[in-house]
Amino acid sequence: MRYYPDGSPMIIHIDMDAFYASVELRDDPALAGKPVVVGGSPRGRGVIAAASYEARKFGIHSAMASSAAIRLCPGLIFIKPRMDHYAAISKQIREIFERFTSLVEPLSLDEAFLDVSGSTRLFGSAREIALQIRDAIRTETGLIASAGVAPNKFLAKLASDLEKPDGFVVVAEDGIQDFLDPLPIERVWGIGKKTSARLRKFGLRMIRDIRALDTKGLKTCFGANCEHFYRLSRGLDTRAVVPDRIAKSISHETTFRFDISDTDALAAWTLELADQVARRMRHYRIHGRTVQIKIRYPDFRTITRAQTLSLPTCSTRQIAGTASELLLKESDSIAVGCRLLGLGVSNLSSGKPVQQSLFDVEENRKMSRLEAATDELKDKFGAGVLRRGTSLEHSVRFRPGPRPGEKPGPE
């Protein structure tokens, strides 16, 4: 490993290992070594949000139906999500990031990009900064993070995923092709199971095979997306790390390991993304008028759908409701599967929105005061001090899988 020359981007991608499940294992040591998932009940249309590494040995993964997961592992332990608790821990981790750089771009509660180009004189090389961050996370939260260090975002994210859990990979600027070439084509953004099966018919198995294609071969294999794959096969990515404070929008997105076509599962993810976005907006005292969803299909085709509200908002309920309506309109096309789901709010403004309608004024004011008071109390006393009535079920833990003829129930 070596220092990058002055002026070169130095990007770190931090990814918390099995974040939700790891938090539950930390909070309850009796769960250590057991297959644990965080998600909805297997009695209905529950979906797995996170799986411990013990559960993953059975083939269980995030976005899987809970009913399918329990068939793979009858002794599986289900824990309902505690999103407020995870958000509070995520904030603690975010504060660790900001000790080293203000250029932090969160992707979700459990991962973020950091640009440390301007921090090396104070804290050491990008490699040393990443090690310090991992150590601080382990010491202060009791959780494990994987890290990738590279000249750009694509390489850093790829590096952080290679040696999970507790992974640490540094891609030197002069070793990019040595790093990429032996990796399977599935490691490239946009190449899922269906695409890789088709590409393998062309003899493409490793990233070096993509890089060896000429212009005609690229167009034959990738069509209109050939430029995208040409660049990634060479480790080229010019996207900057965009922190909240200079962003034109606030958004979150999640890429699923397996394509999701179940609209109920996607609706659940929409609510989670909306909650993350709205809480960040309230933290920065920002309101927005335009709600947008982003859907990426298995063939890497990406669409966005947006709706502009009459008044700016930072309400979880309103953002989630608008996003759900947009998602519902795409239900037919989602039947082929969804690879990535994102939610964002733009058309941002600071300060309090001006009320222009007499309808629902009092209810909106009550909801605004309630959310503001709730956020304040959670920041001061912890995420568990207040909880919405509908989230009381989040604290329910289920016994290891049902016996024949028995329904899972609370302990």
Side-chain angles (χ1 to χ4, degrees):
M1 307 305 174
R2 67 178 180 86
Y3 289 98
Y4 296 112
D6 289 342
S8 297
M10 302 179 210
I11 309 301
I12 300 172
H13 181 258
I14 299 290
D15 195 353
M16 303 302 297
D17 296 330
F19 182 49
Y20 301 166
S22 295
V23 170
E24 299 298 343
L25 290 168
R26 180 202 69 176
D27 292 352
D28 186 354
L31 296 173
K34 299 178 181 179
V36 174
V37 294
V38 174
S41 168
R43 289 175 291 184
R45 294 187 175 184
V47 178
I48 304 300
S52 70
Y53 285 95
E54 289 79 9
R56 294 183 187 188
K57 294 176 183 178
F58 292 88
I60 296 167
H61 55 80
S62 62
M64 173 182 281
S66 297
S67 56
I70 204 166
R71 288 195 295 269
L72 292 173
C73 177
L76 195 60
I77 298 172
F78 284 82
I79 301 176
K80 284 289 186 176
R82 298 185 291 162
M83 296 310 303
D84 288 343
H85 186 46
Y86 309 144
I89 298 170
S90 177
K91 180 182 178 183
Q92 185 181 2
I93 295 169
R94 172 73 176 267
E95 290 170 351
I96 293 174
F97 296 159
E98 291 177 343
R99 296 175 197 168
F100 297 88
T101 177
S102 60
L103 298 177
V104 178
E105 181 182 342
L107 302 180
S108 62
L109 290 181
D110 60 348
E111 63 175 319
F113 286 114
L114 292 75
D115 187 335
V116 296
S117 303
S119 306
T120 55
R121 291 187 179 180
L122 187 59
F123 298 107
S125 68
R127 175 183 181 276
E128 291 168 342
I129 293 173
L131 288 172
Q132 292 176 63
I133 289 173
R134 288 195 343 136
D135 288 344
I137 290 173
R138 187 191 301 264
T139 300
E140 298 176 31
T141 71
L143 300 172
I144 304 299
S146 290
V149 184
N152 61 54
K153 293 168 78 171
F154 166 62
L155 293 171
K157 185 170 175 62
L158 180 56
S160 71
D161 194 46
L162 283 184
E163 297 182 359
K164 280 180 162 290
D166 200 18
F168 185 75
V169 176
V170 179
V171 182
E173 197 170 33
D174 58 1
I176 292 174
Q177 290 306 153
D178 290 339
F179 168 70
L180 285 175
D181 283 353
L183 295 178
I185 57 174
E186 290 81 5
R187 289 289 182 176
V188 177
W189 288 348
I191 300 182
K193 284 187 175 181
K194 293 182 180 178
T195 304
S196 67
R198 179 176 61 81
L199 293 177
R200 286 178 180 274
K201 294 180 180 179
F202 290 102
L204 304 181
R205 289 175 172 78
M206 303 297 176
I207 292 179
R208 61 172 170 263
D209 299 328
I210 300 175
R211 192 163 63 92
L213 292 173
D214 57 17
T215 302
K216 182 178 179 180
L218 283 165
K219 289 184 178 179
T220 299
C221 294
F222 299 105
N225 294 318
C226 60
E227 176 66 19
H228 167 82
F229 293 102
Y230 171 89
R231 293 183 60 80
L232 292 189
S233 69
R234 288 159 173 76
L236 302 175
D237 182 10
T238 59
R239 295 172 304 150
V241 172
V242 182
D244 289 338
R245 63 183 177 85
I246 60 174
K248 295 181 180 179
S249 65
I250 292 182
S251 62
H252 273 303
E253 63 184 40
T254 185
T255 300
F256 307 115
R257 290 187 179 275
F258 296 87
D259 300 334
I260 300 180
S261 57
D262 188 293
T263 53
D264 290 333
L266 291 172
W269 281 104
T270 300
L271 179 59
E272 178 181 336
L273 293 170
D275 187 53
Q276 294 181 39
V277 168
R279 288 195 62 171
R280 284 169 61 195
M281 292 177 69
R282 292 194 292 269
H283 174 75
Y284 291 104
R285 294 179 173 83
I286 290 173
H287 298 79
R289 288 187 59 204
T290 303
V291 178
Q292 176 177 291
I293 63 169
K294 174 181 175 182
I295 301 172
R296 180 165 295 156
Y297 295 101
D299 61 0
F300 209 64
R301 182 171 59 92
T302 303
I303 66 166
T304 58
R305 297 290 183 264
Q307 180 175 331
T308 298
L309 308 174
S310 59
L311 294 171
T313 185
C314 60
S315 165
T316 297
R317 184 175 65 173
Q318 192 167 7
I319 292 170
T322 303
S324 295
E325 291 175 3
L326 294 171
L327 183 68
L328 184 62
K329 293 178 181 178
E330 303 301 320
S331 56
D332 290 341
S333 58
I334 288 173
V336 302
C338 174
R339 171 183 170 82
L340 174 148
L341 180 65
L343 185 151
V345 178
S346 59
N347 209 347
L348 303 178
S349 59
S350 58
K352 295 182 179 179
V354 177
Q355 180 59 256
Q356 297 176 334
S357 171
L358 295 177
F359 296 102
D360 299 324
V361 171
E362 187 58 30
E363 182 179 352
N364 288 336
R365 285 176 179 169
K366 288 180 179 179
M367 181 58 63
S368 178
R369 289 196 296 267
L370 177 61
E371 289 179 332
T374 299
D375 290 345
E376 182 179 354
L377 286 171
K378 287 177 179 178
D379 289 343
K380 187 173 183 180
F381 298 109
V385 66
L386 285 178
R387 189 173 292 171
R388 299 186 186 201
T390 54
S391 70
L392 292 176
E393 63 180 359
H394 290 177
S395 64
V396 175
R397 179 171 296 151
F398 295 94
R399 291 196 301 270
R403 301 181 184 89
E406 177 191 23
K407 292 184 178 180
E411 291 182 344

